[in-house]
Amino acid sequence: MTRRVTKAIFPVAGMGTRFLPATKSVPKEIMTLVDRPLIQYAIDEARAAGIKEFIFVTSRGKGALEDYFDHAPQLEQLLRQKGKTDLLNTLESTNMESGAIAYIRQHKALGLGHAVWCARRLIGDEPFAVILPDDVIAGEKPCLQQMVEAYEETGGNMVAAMEVPAEKTSSYGMLDIEADMGAMVRTKGMVEKPKAEDAPSNLAVIGRYILSPSVLENLNNIEQGAGGEIQLTDAIAAEIKNGNGVYGYRFQGQRFDCGSKSGFLQATVAFGLARDDLREDLFAYLHDVVNMGKAAE
Ligand code: UTP
């Protein structure tokens, strides 16, 4: 029987250089889609998947993230006095049970693999999830929940997988497929950011993982790889070499790369259109913009 996944690591120590100058003082994960910061989407997804312990790997300048999960007694009292129960309720999702959240520092930005490794003592000997908050996934059933359900059948390690066009393979870890079972693939290798001609398939890994604690041991032995960083992909690929299963899971849902400007803007439009209170206005605006563009052609 597989062990339940109750811990999740949120690596948020990156510098977010693609959003400079904003990220000079605002952590990328606090940037908002409509009215909720990216980190809130990630936390909601983790909760839906049964996660009970939330481990943030942070760095200098990420204080706003820690504050976000604190109680705000003055603000809450003001809202209560004014009878603004709707707003009070929206604050509730930001509250964390005492002791459920932990912050660990990554002292040097040595890559995603290193960030995950920094949390090793808090993980111990349990399977754990990794969520990259800049990958926001809209779907009926939250992506990590889909993966946890699939993982209960497979055990081993599981990564969220998505088909990408050939010209994009150099932006992702790509899966080498051994067996394709439809929603799930069993992999025989992983390659970090290959050129299109070197990519073993068109299935890319995106920012959701369920990993066995042996990945943390593998990270002890991983040298700096592509881009001078310690790559999580290499530590997962080492699992395959060690004879442990690594599965790719084709999740249901739409993924937005909110680490890029274009992806962030697309997510803003999509989440805006999904909101009853905004849809009509936003749709009318977009309609006008598109028509103006057409007229200009
Ligand atoms: P990115 O590759 O998107 O890097 O990291 P970044 O620094 O966040 O953004 P850019 O490319 O400079 O704009 C993917 C995820 O890994 C985390 C990031 O916080 C992000 O969630 N990460 C990356 C770390 O925690 N530590 C690192 O050393 C590198």
Side-chain angles (χ1 to χ4, degrees), residues 11-18 28-29 106 109-112 115 132-134:
V12 292
M15 304 221 248
T17 53
R18 283 171 286 173
K28 177 168 66 174
E29 301 74 22
Q106 184 189 26
L110 289 176
L112 176 59
L132 304 191
D134 42 12

Side-chain angles (χ1 to χ4, degrees), residues 71-89 91-92 95:
H71 271 280
Q74 269 181 328
L75 176 62
E76 284 166 25
Q77 191 173 348
L78 189 82
L79 294 175
R80 212 167 287 121
Q81 273 168 4
K82 296 195 164 179
K84 302 211 163 169
T85 12
D86 284 5
L87 292 179
L88 260 176
N89 291 341
L91 282 188
E92 226 154 70
N95 292 339

Side-chain angles (χ1 to χ4, degrees), residues 183-200:
M184 190 117 68
V185 300
R186 194 183 161 93
T187 68
K188 58 177 180 208
M190 281 167 86
V191 189
E192 185 62 22
K193 303 190 168 73
K195 290 191 207 130
E197 57 272 28
D198 300 328

Side-chain angles (χ1 to χ4, degrees), residues 4-38:
R4 289 193 61 197
V5 184
T6 59
K7 295 182 178 178
I9 301 177
F10 300 82
V12 292
M15 304 221 248
T17 53
R18 283 171 286 173
F19 280 95
L20 281 170
T23 43
K24 189 176 166 209
S25 65
V26 181
K28 177 168 66 174
E29 301 74 22
I30 287 292
M31 297 198 316
T32 55
L33 289 179
V34 187
D35 49 14
R36 294 177 346 137
L38 293 183

Side-chain angles (χ1 to χ4, degrees), residues 49-295:
I51 298 297
K52 304 281 181 243
E53 289 182 53
F54 304 81
I55 302 163
F56 286 81
V57 182
T58 69
S59 59
R60 185 178 290 270
K62 298 280 179 166
L65 258 177
E66 301 190 18
D67 294 346
Y68 181 76
F69 292 110
D70 276 348
H71 271 280
Q74 269 181 328
L75 176 62
E76 284 166 25
Q77 191 173 348
L78 189 82
L79 294 175
R80 212 167 287 121
Q81 273 168 4
K82 296 195 164 179
K84 302 211 163 169
T85 12
D86 284 5
L87 292 179
L88 260 176
N89 291 341
T90 63
L91 282 188
E92 226 154 70
S93 60
T94 68
N95 292 339
M96 284 285 188
E97 193 197 329
S98 293
I101 192 161
Y103 302 95
I104 280 270
R105 285 274 193 176
Q106 184 189 26
H107 293 103
K108 270 191 195 165
L110 289 176
L112 176 59
H114 181 258
V116 168
W117 179 78
C118 288
R120 66 197 177 284
R121 293 202 176 85
L122 294 176
I123 295 296
D125 192 27
E126 286 181 41
F128 59 98
V130 177
I131 296 187
L132 304 191
D134 42 12
D135 273 337
V136 176
I137 302 168
E140 241 167 72
K141 190 184 272 188
C143 178
L144 189 66
Q145 189 183 346
Q146 297 174 39
M147 289 173 68
V148 164
E149 287 170 10
Y151 170 82
E152 278 162 11
E153 306 290 319
T154 61
N157 299 274
M158 186 171 286
V159 297
M162 184 183 95
E163 269 144 37
V164 296
E167 68 273 14
K168 299 270 182 183
T169 61
S170 59
S171 304
Y172 295 93
M174 301 299 297
L175 297 179
D176 196 354
I177 298 170
E178 184 180 67
D180 195 331
M181 288 89 83
M184 190 117 68
V185 300
R186 194 183 161 93
T187 68
K188 58 177 180 208
M190 281 167 86
V191 189
E192 185 62 22
K193 303 190 168 73
K195 290 191 207 130
E197 57 272 28
D198 300 328
S201 75
N202 65 349
L203 260 194
V205 178
I206 61 120
R208 302 289 183 275
Y209 309 78
I210 299 174
L211 301 175
S212 109
S214 48
V215 170
L216 299 171
E217 282 164 37
N218 302 344
L219 279 166
N220 284 324
N221 306 316
I222 300 282
E223 307 270 318
Q224 288 173 329
E229 298 196 331
I230 295 176
Q231 299 290 350
L232 185 59
T233 305
D234 294 343
I236 302 173
E239 283 290 277
I240 305 171
K241 282 208 192 91
N242 296 341
N244 300 326
V246 175
Y247 300 89
Y249 184 76
R250 290 188 177 98
F251 58 93
Q252 301 279 324
Q254 192 179 0
R255 173 257 189 179
F256 296 93
D257 174 11
C258 291
S260 78
K261 286 174 211 165
S262 163
F264 193 92
L265 290 172
Q266 288 169 31
T268 301
V269 172
F271 281 84
L273 288 175
R275 287 265 298 251
D276 291 342
D277 55 337
L278 299 172
R279 188 179 303 114
E280 207 175 308
D281 272 4
L282 183 57
F283 187 80
Y285 172 72
L286 291 172
H287 186 263
D288 287 353
V289 170
V290 170
N291 280 341
M292 260 186 320
K294 280 194 183 137

